[in-house]
Amino acid sequence: QVQLVESGGGSVQAGGSLRLSCAASGNTYYVWYCMAWFRQVPGKEREEVASINNQGTTTYADSVKGRFTISKDNTRNTLFLQMNTLKPEDAAMYYCAAGPFCGDFRYWGQGSQVTVFS
């Protein structure tokens, strides 16, 4: 079993920055094959924001390219999402996810709320 716990959310003015963290614990042997950040607002579908695989290859949604950076620290079993130049439309609940393949996310965190005010 794998546990994922997000932190770092909060409220920030548009143009500001936040850094989300996701700490993984439990049987994390294959967790690092692929990890990702998703976000969701009420009434809308969950959106994949960024992913990173075990080779360090990253992908980003077009809406966040150039502003968000996904990274991971294998020594601390922690995933990060650096979010810069935040916009009101970035406001959402952000979730960390992990799985054996990108697209096959079997484990999810409880979410961390990000609010962006103008």
Side-chain angles (χ1 to χ4, degrees), residues 68-85:
F68 290 12
T69 302
I70 189 171
S71 63
K72 60 183 181 178
D73 183 340
N74 292 342
T75 63
R76 293 194 290 160
N77 288 347
T78 304
L79 180 74
F80 302 100
L81 184 69
Q82 178 67 43
M83 304 184 292
N84 298 328
T85 319

Side-chain angles (χ1 to χ4, degrees), residues 1-2 4 11 16 25 28 41 45 52 60 68 89 93 112 115 118:
Q1 192 71 348
V2 174
L4 303 174
S11 184
S25 60
T28 59
V41 297
E45 290 188 1
I52 184 167
Y60 295 93
F68 290 12
E89 53 264 41
M93 184 71 79
S112 183
T115 302
S118 55

Side-chain angles (χ1 to χ4, degrees), residues 23-44:
S25 60
N27 182 9
T28 59
Y29 177 73
Y30 73 86
V31 165
W32 300 106
Y33 280 29
C34 191
M35 296 193 74
W37 290 97
F38 288 77
R39 65 187 181 187
Q40 188 169 26
V41 297
K44 291 190 176 182

